[in-house]
């Protein structure tokens, strides 16, 4: 009990310090940075406290502090990259969502592909070029390109189509300089809808390609 209590107090102190990592204005982005720093403090403190030896107290404090700094740094990077993407993608139908752990760039199928096609529209590849430039500016990230469809037609065909569309988007990123080793492209077909397939509007939302960006 005499050891655990100081460890908890030191971890909480590191969490308080972590809250100061993000810039002072209160925004959604800054809240995410503080969340990352706090999570890092908890993990770092827990790992330090679980170590063997007589220096658990010091290790817990060090782990919490380092975890807070790393978590805050990752959160700040995601905030900066999300702002960069929103400023450079010239299409208000493309959304960029910062979950706190990753960025999700949502590209509706209708702005990239014709119906039943995996051939990218040449006049709209500039949005992917903007994404590629951002990925080159933030090289310590990995990328998943995931194709999705609605439930119209055969499930097997939808799976194949979503895979081909993901591969087409991945190809454009690589042509614009993003190393293929950073990218994994695959299809989900109709398995992960984000809206009801019972309406035209819902099906349109489900037809999409998502680019998931994760810090290393």
């Amino acid at each position: 009990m005499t050891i655990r209590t100081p460890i908890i107090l030191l971890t909480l102190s590191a969490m308080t310090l972590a809250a100061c990592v993000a810039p002072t204005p209160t925004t959604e982005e800054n809240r995410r940075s503080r969340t990352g720093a706090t999570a890092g403090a908890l993990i770092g403190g827990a790992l330090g406290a679980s170590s063997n030896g007589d220096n658990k107290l010091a290790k817990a404090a060090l782990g919490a502090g380092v975890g807070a700094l790393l978590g805050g740094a990752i959160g700040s990077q995601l905030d900066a990259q999300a702002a960069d993407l929103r400023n450079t993608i010239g299409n208000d139908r493309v959304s960029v969502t910062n979950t706190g752990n990753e960025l999700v760039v949502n590209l509706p199928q209708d702005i990239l592909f014709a119906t039943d096609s995996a051939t990218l529209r040449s006049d709209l590849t500039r949005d992917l070029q903007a994404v590629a430039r951002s990925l080159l500016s933030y090289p310590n990230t990995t990328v998943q390109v995931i194709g999705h469809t609605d439930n119209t037609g055969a499930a097997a065909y939808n799976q194949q189509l979503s895979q081909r569309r993901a591969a087409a988007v991945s190809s454009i990123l690589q042509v614009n300089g993003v190393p293929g080793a950073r990218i994994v492209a695959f299809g989900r077909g109709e398995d992960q809808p984000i809206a009801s397939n019972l309406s035209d509007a819902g099906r349109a939302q489900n037809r999409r390609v998502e680019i998931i960006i994760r810090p290393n």
Side-chain angles (χ1 to χ4, degrees):
M1 296 296 292
T2 57
I3 293 177
R4 289 180 181 176
T5 300
I7 289 173
I8 293 171
L9 291 175
L10 282 170
T11 302
L12 290 174
S13 297
M15 290 168 60
T16 302
L17 176 63
C20 300
V21 172
T24 51
T26 300
T27 65
E28 180 62 24
E29 285 74 15
N30 292 341
R31 281 194 290 271
R32 293 190 190 281
S33 293
R34 288 195 291 270
T35 298
T38 301
L42 283 170
I43 294 170
L47 290 175
S50 65
S51 62
N52 294 324
D54 297 328
N55 296 320
K56 286 187 176 183
L57 182 59
K59 289 179 180 179
L62 179 61
V66 171
L69 291 174
L70 290 176
I74 290 172
S76 295
Q77 175 183 309
L78 287 173
D79 294 341
Q81 190 171 10
D84 175 56
L85 284 165
R86 292 178 184 125
N87 288 334
T88 56
I89 294 176
N91 192 324
D92 58 9
R93 294 187 61 195
V94 177
S95 65
V96 180
T97 303
N98 183 353
T99 71
N101 299 312
E102 62 191 17
L103 301 181
V104 181
V105 182
N106 188 324
L107 301 123
Q109 171 229 281
D110 299 345
I111 70 171
L112 294 174
F113 304 100
T115 301
D116 200 31
S117 172
T119 301
L120 283 161
R121 293 175 53 182
S122 60
D123 59 324
L124 291 170
T125 57
R126 66 173 63 95
D127 294 332
L128 295 178
Q129 292 169 355
V131 174
R133 288 193 298 271
S134 177
L135 293 174
L136 292 174
S137 297
Y138 297 87
N140 58 332
T141 57
T142 57
V143 184
Q144 288 186 343
V145 181
I146 310 173
H148 300 272
T149 70
D150 60 27
N151 67 347
T152 303
Y157 179 80
N158 288 336
Q159 172 61 35
Q160 180 191 58
L161 179 62
S162 69
Q163 175 66 50
R164 290 190 288 126
R165 286 174 169 169
V169 170
S170 173
S171 177
I172 291 296
L173 296 178
Q174 293 181 61
V175 165
N176 284 274
V178 182
R182 291 176 59 190
I183 305 173
V184 177
F186 55 96
R188 291 295 190 194
E190 60 189 60
D191 290 342
Q192 292 185 342
I194 56 174
S196 171
N197 278 308
L198 297 178
S199 68
D200 290 341
R203 287 190 293 272
Q205 291 183 61
N206 293 332
R207 298 189 299 267
R208 68 199 191 278
V209 174
E210 292 177 333
I211 300 175
I212 313 296
I213 304 170
R214 293 192 178 99
N216 289 336

